[in-house]
Amino acid sequence: MTTREESIDGPDVGELTPPNRTLMGPGPSDVHPRVLRAMSTPLVGHLDPSFVEIMDEVQELLRYTFRTDNRWTIPVSGTGSAAMEAAIGNVVEPGDTMLVPTNGYFGGRMASMARRAGGEVVEVDAPWGEPLAVDDVADALAEYDPDVFGFVHAETSTGVRQPEVPALTAAAHDHDALVIADAVTSIGGVELRVDEWGVDVAYAGPQKCLSCPPGASPLTLSDEAMDKVLARAKEPRSWYLDLGLLEGYWGDERAYHHTAPITNVYAIREALRLVAEEGIEERWARHERLAGALKAGVEAMGLEMNAADEYWLPSLNAVRVPEGIDDGEVCSTLLERYDLEIASGLGDLDGEIFRIGCMGHSARPENVIYAVTALGDVLEQLGADVDPGAGVTATRRALS
Ligand SMILES: *Cc1c(COP(=O)(O)O)cnc(C)c1O
């Protein structure tokens, strides 16, 4: 029991001093100083006229970045998974069938979300580390006649970029299926054209190639997809992510639904402004150029990329772990000795690959040279058969 004389001491927690990492993993990526500055500006209310203007600007910038004219283009409060669940949880109705891929971790997450939405899940197969084949998708569409087809444009678990997207969407539309694309690791880093490619719904994340802290996640839906959402017989199971309700806030009405994460909206506004200043196509080209230099370096030192060149994903480079090397030890040594974050593989590729991100503000020459140098050094010290010097030389040449 406390008396008046006794004080209740708070826990003795020191000042916040996170280590200064270089983030070259599967996300988050390094955040641009301008975005960090935007996050330290004062709050306004989520219905303040000045904030309503900011919302309009964010929506306009998101349309530019997605390459879409979709009216229904918003930042969802939460991480990429929130935008993912908003997409799947609203578009998939109880009893609907959704076709999902098996070629990576995030196709599996799509399946879980579709099931929770009351959907029936069917699969189109491809091994982890390979893209979907158009013929296999067409066969699965013919066999199952799904209402919705989901695919992962940039599989962060395998470093695979799904090519031939227009052929996939055309096949789905031949069977009257709506297409949901996971663009979390492609938006702002890899060519993505929502309207031109016939993607009905795309969701993304801020902390990968947009180099923005997680918290407000891009989502866009075509009128046709939104018509299905608004015509649902039953309301979606999530109140928080109900797009019909969110429309009241992000649409013309601008009425309270939940308090927008103001600071995260400031952040994504600044991150998207950086995209617009650079130009979306130049940004895609920069990622390809910088990741190309990274790839040249790891290959020249004697390592192998996991994905073939035709579907290499510049924003996430999957590199084979050399014989006899413990991937976890490499990652932890890089973190300790170089303050450099990369990641190991998961699922079917657990222990087989390193995942080296080259995303947004992390996709800079100094980071790429640093990562190739540090990786070569640590691998050599752990006894791998690599030539670190050749790696650095190849990266320098590719950058010059
Ligand atoms: C990171 C990621 C997600 C999930 O995003 P979170 O921000 O972690 O919730 C979904 N899909 C892909 C392809 C991702 O890389």
Side-chain angles (χ1 to χ4, degrees):
M1 199 193 278
T2 54
T3 66
R4 247 198 237 166
E5 292 76 44
E6 286 174 34
S7 67
I8 304 175
D9 292 329
D12 183 18
V13 175
E15 208 184 319
L16 181 67
T17 52
N20 192 9
R21 308 287 199 209
T22 298
L23 299 175
M24 302 283 284
S29 55
D30 287 345
V31 175
H32 195 286
R34 262 174 54 185
V35 174
L36 292 175
R37 272 203 300 279
M39 294 183 82
S40 61
T41 53
L43 294 206
V44 295
H46 56 286
L47 296 172
D48 189 297
S50 70
F51 193 69
V52 170
E53 211 170 291
I54 288 169
M55 292 164 69
D56 287 337
E57 291 164 347
V58 168
Q59 290 182 283
E60 191 185 336
L61 288 161
L62 281 176
R63 289 185 194 104
Y64 170 75
T65 307
F66 269 129
R67 310 306 309 125
T68 185
D69 292 328
N70 287 341
R71 209 152 63 85
W72 309 94
T73 304
I74 63 168
V76 175
S77 304
T79 71
S81 301
M84 182 176 190
E85 194 139 35
I88 295 169
N90 282 274
V91 172
V92 176
E93 297 173 68
D96 277 359
T97 301
M98 181 170 179
L99 177 66
V100 302
T102 62
N103 63 339
Y105 180 85
F106 291 101
R109 187 174 292 184
M110 278 185 167
S112 307
M113 288 183 178
R115 273 190 210 102
R116 285 173 189 233
E120 186 107 17
V121 170
V122 290
E123 291 176 334
V124 50
D125 292 321
W128 278 52
E130 282 179 34
L132 297 176
V134 177
D135 286 348
D136 292 346
V137 173
D139 289 348
L141 287 160
E143 186 180 347
Y144 302 118
D145 196 27
D147 303 281
V148 181
F149 163 55
F151 76 95
V152 181
H153 181 224
E155 216 347 311
T156 322
S157 65
T158 63
V160 167
R161 181 182 51 81
Q162 177 62 50
E164 303 178 286
V165 174
L168 293 184
T169 59
H173 294 153
D174 281 348
H175 291 269
D176 294 321
L178 286 172
V179 178
I180 300 182
D182 181 320
V184 176
T185 291
S186 54
I187 195 170
V190 177
E191 183 177 18
L192 169 69
R193 300 180 189 272
V194 166
D195 287 1
E196 202 181 313
W197 290 356
V199 172
D200 300 291
V201 180
Y203 60 84
Q207 77 274 21
K208 314 244 171 152
C209 300
L210 297 178
S211 273
C212 179
S217 297
L219 173 68
T220 188
L221 295 93
S222 67
D223 281 346
E224 203 189 345
M226 201 60 192
D227 285 348
K228 181 177 190 315
V229 171
L230 295 176
R232 289 176 61 107
K234 271 188 157 170
E235 53 197 14
R237 290 178 180 178
S238 169
W239 177 89
Y240 192 66
L241 297 173
D242 181 334
L243 291 175
L245 297 179
L246 284 175
E247 199 279 323
Y249 182 53
W250 285 98
D252 295 333
E253 216 178 318
R254 301 285 149 125
Y256 170 71
H257 173 257
H258 67 266
T259 309
I262 312 292
T263 303
N264 293 91
V265 175
Y266 289 171
I268 200 164
R269 179 183 181 278
E270 193 61 21
L272 293 168
R273 235 161 63 84
L274 285 162
V275 175
E277 279 174 26
E278 182 173 10
I280 188 73
E281 285 173 312
E282 169 47 29
R283 195 173 171 100
W284 297 333
R286 170 168 61 87
H287 279 78
E288 195 165 325
R289 200 162 60 238
L290 275 293
L294 177 83
K295 178 170 174 283
V298 297
E299 287 177 335
M301 80 170 78
L303 303 175
E304 213 183 302
M305 298 293 289
N306 194 63
D309 285 352
E310 307 90 77
Y311 44 84
W312 162 60
L313 174 61
S315 47
L316 197 287
N317 296 270
V319 178
R320 304 282 315 166
V321 176
E323 270 307 304
I325 293 295
D326 175 353
D327 57 320
E329 193 178 0
V330 174
C331 294
S332 58
T333 309
L334 283 169
L335 196 65
E336 274 163 36
R337 206 177 291 165
Y338 285 96
D339 266 323
L340 173 68
E341 178 174 287
I342 69 164
S344 42
L346 41 96
D348 287 6
L349 292 172
D350 182 25
E352 292 186 33
I353 58 169
F354 297 116
R355 294 183 299 146
I356 309 177
C358 195
M359 303 178 179
H361 189 56
S362 289
R364 278 174 292 149
E366 56 268 45
N367 277 28
V368 167
I369 271 284
Y370 186 64
V372 170
T373 306
L375 181 65
D377 178 45
V378 168
L379 282 173
E380 186 179 55
Q381 291 197 28
L382 293 177
D385 180 22
V386 289
D387 183 346
V392 173
T393 302
T395 296
R396 283 179 51 209
R397 196 167 292 148
L399 289 173
S400 68

